[in-house]
Amino acid sequence: MVRTRRLSRIICLVVIVCLVFFGLCGCGSRSQSEPKKPTPGMEQKPRAPEALDSILKELDAIITEVDAKWKTESKTALKQATELAPSLENRDKKQKQEEDKQKKDESPKSEKSSADEHQNQSTSPTSNVAWQNEIKSLKKIHENWNMVEPEAIKAGLTTTARDNFEQTLNVLTQEINQHRVEGTLFAAITLYGHYADISQLFSTPIPAEFFRVKYEIMNSNALVGKREWETARTHAARSLEHWGHLKVQAEGIEPKLLSRTEFSLHDFDQAVTKKQAEVAMIKGEIVMKNLQNMEKGLSQRLPSRPTAGTAGTGKKV
């Protein structure tokens, strides 16, 4: 009896050990065979189409051209001397134009023709010749948007974001057609803000927050020119909010440049808060130069890593 009970216990223990062993092996094989599910919200974004960069390039060109017209119409010498969206290319072009004009002024024969040309540009800023650059860039934006839109919809573009971009593009078209300087400038700046909503759908080296910071600064700076202080202050404050998100994404950017940019943003915000128009114009230009240097550094990076969340608001198309 005793031997029988011992034998039964041994057999039971052996059976239990075998069941546990084979059970563990089965779980291990299942875990290896089952593929890991991707973390929600971390799917790879599609690479940005080349046409998206072209939209940005032409939009920057329109803002630069129209801002120069707007400054020319101003009676303030300081306002004429500051640029809303300065760039090295446009600065060199402007310097060459000034040198050419100086050579013409030195020639007695060209004095009258130079004066007449200046008068025609001042009294007839709505001529097609004066707006040919803006019209050319506008057509390219329409063409490139036609190429980007289907890709953006596939990437998750919302109805709200698409409507905002298209409606503002239509407004910009009307303003340029009517040769309205101020209306064109603000429509172009607004479209720049909507560009950020399109950009964030794709994997790009420049984060969408960069374009939002730049949009808020350009908008605030332009509003300072109109002495609309409350709205200008709102946009200046928003630029600091977006900067808080941008600086943590600015990997590879020189720390000194990041520091200079942050200080310049605070200086601009302070000047707007104190309603110091001349100071704000100077500080705003410094911000734009710092952002230009940042953009140059960011554009040399690899496309941004996928980030959690879906861009935009509203119903998807």
Side-chain angles (χ1 to χ4, degrees), residues 38-289:
T39 305
M42 293 297 290
E43 295 82 5
Q44 179 68 42
K45 293 181 181 180
R47 185 173 294 275
E50 292 182 5
L52 187 66
D53 289 334
S54 298
I55 290 176
L56 180 64
K57 178 183 176 182
E58 300 303 332
L59 193 52
D60 274 329
I62 289 176
I63 292 174
T64 301
E65 290 281 346
V66 180
D67 180 57
K69 287 181 172 65
W70 197 42
K71 296 296 192 299
T72 302
E73 291 182 354
S74 172
K75 295 180 181 180
T76 306
L78 180 60
K79 187 176 177 182
Q80 291 179 4
T82 56
E83 295 180 75
L84 182 63
S87 64
L88 293 175
E89 182 180 354
N90 289 319
R91 200 180 308 151
D92 294 340
K93 182 179 178 182
K94 186 176 179 182
Q95 185 178 356
K96 188 177 184 302
Q97 289 174 346
E98 290 176 353
E99 290 175 355
D100 292 341
K101 184 180 178 182
Q102 186 177 0
K103 290 179 181 178
K104 287 181 180 180
D105 291 341
E106 290 174 355
S107 175
K109 294 181 181 180
S110 63
E111 284 183 0
K112 189 176 183 300
S113 60
S114 179
D116 291 341
E117 182 182 354
H118 177 71
Q119 184 177 0
N120 289 335
Q121 290 177 350
S122 302
T123 58
S124 304
T126 59
S127 65
N128 287 330
V129 176
W131 286 81
Q132 63 181 356
N133 291 334
E134 290 88 338
I135 294 172
K136 184 178 178 181
S137 292
L138 178 67
K139 288 180 179 179
K140 289 182 179 179
I141 291 175
H142 277 281
E143 291 171 0
N144 285 298
W145 171 240
N146 180 248
M147 290 186 280
V148 170
E149 186 177 8
E151 300 297 322
I153 290 174
K154 288 181 183 178
L157 179 67
T158 65
T159 302
T160 301
R162 184 182 71 173
D163 289 348
N164 286 340
F165 189 90
E166 290 187 338
Q167 289 170 9
T168 306
L169 180 57
N170 292 339
V171 171
L172 177 62
T173 303
Q174 293 171 3
E175 295 296 327
I176 290 178
N177 250 350
Q178 296 297 320
H179 301 164
R180 289 194 283 258
V181 175
E182 185 178 301
T184 299
L185 179 62
F186 280 94
I189 292 173
T190 303
L191 189 63
Y192 195 97
H194 295 318
Y195 174 88
D197 297 330
I198 310 298
S199 172
Q200 72 177 355
L201 297 169
F202 300 99
S203 178
T204 60
I206 304 177
E209 288 299 321
F210 173 86
F211 302 115
R212 294 191 174 102
V213 171
K214 189 175 174 180
Y215 156 72
E216 299 293 353
I217 291 297
M218 288 193 296
N219 212 341
S220 182
N221 215 2
L223 289 165
V224 167
K226 295 179 64 179
R227 302 302 189 267
E228 294 184 11
W229 294 109
E230 292 303 319
T231 314
R233 174 68 182 90
T234 300
H235 286 287
R238 286 176 184 169
S239 72
L240 291 172
E241 293 176 8
H242 290 301
W243 171 253
H245 299 295
L246 173 61
K247 66 180 180 180
V248 298
Q249 302 176 47
E251 296 178 4
I253 300 300
E254 184 186 358
K256 290 183 179 180
L257 176 57
L258 286 176
S259 181
R260 289 198 303 268
T261 306
E262 183 162 358
F263 275 105
S264 65
L265 284 165
H266 283 286
D267 289 344
F268 175 74
D269 177 66
Q270 188 176 25
V272 175
T273 301
K274 293 181 178 180
K275 300 182 179 180
Q276 298 172 329
E278 290 75 15
V279 176
M281 279 186 251
I282 294 174
K283 297 298 184 182
E285 185 173 357
I286 293 172
V287 173
M288 294 303 298
K289 287 178 180 178

Side-chain angles (χ1 to χ4, degrees), residues 13-43:
L13 287 173
V14 171
V15 171
I16 291 172
V17 170
C18 290
L19 289 173
V20 171
F21 175 77
F22 287 114
L24 290 174
C25 291
C27 291
S29 62
R30 281 197 300 270
S31 63
Q32 291 177 0
S33 62
E34 291 179 0
K36 293 183 179 180
K37 295 181 179 180
T39 305
M42 293 297 290
E43 295 82 5

